[in-house]
Amino acid sequence: LAKTTQPISMDSYEGQEVNITCSHNNIATNDYITWYQQFPSQGPRFIIQGYKTKVTNEVASLFIPADRKSSTLSLPRVSLSDTAVYYCLVGVPHSSASKIIFGSGTRLSIRP
Amino acid sequence: DTAVSQTPKYLVTQMGNDKSIKCEQNLGHDTMYWYKQDSKKFLKIMFSYNNKELIINETVPNRFSPKSPDKAHLNLHINSLELGDSAVYFCASSQLAGGTYNEQFFGPGTRLTVL
């Protein structure tokens, strides 16, 4: 099972770009990389998913190098409301038997 | 409309009691999950059901028994509650058939406190 490693916490300021990097050295060929966001007292919410290179949606960008042993979630121009815990996980998205593992997450704090 | 709902939101009970947490999703998804989030915020999968069939059963005490009466519901019954069962339990669902992404939709969580 691919294990992920993320920084425990990060701080930034409103308007800045925030990049959170996740290491997954043992990622398997069929694994995808997915990021979730969790606010206090709420369930996690899907942000973005990718397999390789770059994926962008209205919320974030996901950069995946060729070796796929790491990935970087990029949040452009963060606001106070982006303060949350961000989880990186790897797994096979189309398999109901995929044992998707959430790591400890990165607690992102945004200051005015 | 709430996509994934759980009841109750808070549950406080004594050791040794039996309790149930209900989960319903109105997204038409074919797969549902139960997760446990402990005080350190680690989120661990407990069970996964696909079309009412148990797919994933992690190392969970057999005091925990999921029940899926239909695709839209996955309830969690816990017997003989212990102090260590105190946590937030999240239900989630996803649609695995077709599409590129396996986006899991999570419920609001049930905070279980065992005294």
Side-chain angles (χ1 to χ4, degrees):
Chain A
L1 296 176
K3 180 182 176 181
T4 61
T5 303
Q6 311 171 228
I8 294 175
S9 63
M10 293 181 66
D11 296 324
S12 188
Y13 293 91
E14 281 190 294
Q16 298 295 308
E17 178 184 79
V18 171
N19 296 311
I20 306 175
T21 297
C22 178
S23 297
H24 27 79
N25 292 317
N26 296 325
I27 189 169
T29 302
N30 294 332
D31 283 343
Y32 279 66
I33 300 154
T34 310
W35 286 80
Y36 281 81
Q37 174 192 57
Q38 185 178 24
F39 296 115
S41 302
Q42 294 186 27
R45 184 179 69 141
F46 175 94
I47 300 176
I48 197 166
Q49 186 179 81
Y51 183 81
K52 63 180 179 180
T53 62
K54 177 183 175 182
V55 179
T56 298
N57 61 22
E58 65 277 7
V59 177
S61 294
L62 178 60
F63 297 92
I64 306 168
D67 66 6
R68 302 198 330 120
K69 293 184 182 300
S70 67
S71 59
T72 299
L73 174 72
S74 181
L75 304 172
R77 296 182 298 280
V78 294
S79 63
L80 296 176
S81 62
D82 291 318
T83 295
V85 177
Y86 292 82
Y87 294 95
C88 163
L89 51 151
V90 296
V92 180
H94 302 302
S95 170
S96 59
S98 176
K99 296 185 179 181
I100 300 173
I101 300 175
F102 282 76
S104 56
T106 297
R107 186 173 299 275
L108 176 65
S109 298
I110 305 300
R111 302 176 181 179
Chain B
D1 290 340
T2 302
V4 182
S5 60
Q6 296 178 229
T7 55
K9 188 172 178 60
Y10 299 97
L11 184 54
V12 181
T13 188
Q14 299 286 331
M15 281 177 55
N17 285 349
D18 302 338
K19 291 293 179 184
S20 292
I21 306 173
K22 295 184 177 181
C23 177
E24 176 181 2
Q25 54 96 3
N26 62 8
L27 299 168
H29 288 165
D30 57 11
T31 305
M32 297 185 71
Y33 313 79
W34 275 108
Y35 288 86
K36 177 181 180 180
Q37 188 168 44
D38 59 24
S39 58
K40 295 184 179 179
K41 302 303 181 183
F42 285 101
L43 195 62
K44 298 179 181 178
I45 190 167
M46 301 173 67
F47 302 102
S48 168
Y49 267 74
N50 180 257
N51 285 317
K52 296 171 50 180
E53 180 183 350
L54 180 63
I55 301 300
I56 294 176
N57 184 352
E58 286 299 289
T59 308
V60 177
N62 56 16
R63 298 182 294 104
F64 291 79
S65 54
K67 287 183 172 56
S68 181
D70 54 59
K71 279 176 49 175
H73 297 84
L74 181 61
N75 303 322
L76 184 64
H77 189 76
I78 315 171
N79 290 328
S80 304
L81 279 157
E82 300 177 357
L83 293 177
D85 296 332
S86 295
V88 180
Y89 293 84
F90 288 100
C91 176
S93 73
S94 67
Q95 182 63 26
L96 295 183
T100 304
Y101 301 108
N102 174 16
E103 176 180 351
Q104 293 191 30
F105 291 80
F106 283 79
T110 296
R111 182 174 294 277
L112 172 64
T113 303
V114 182
L115 304 176

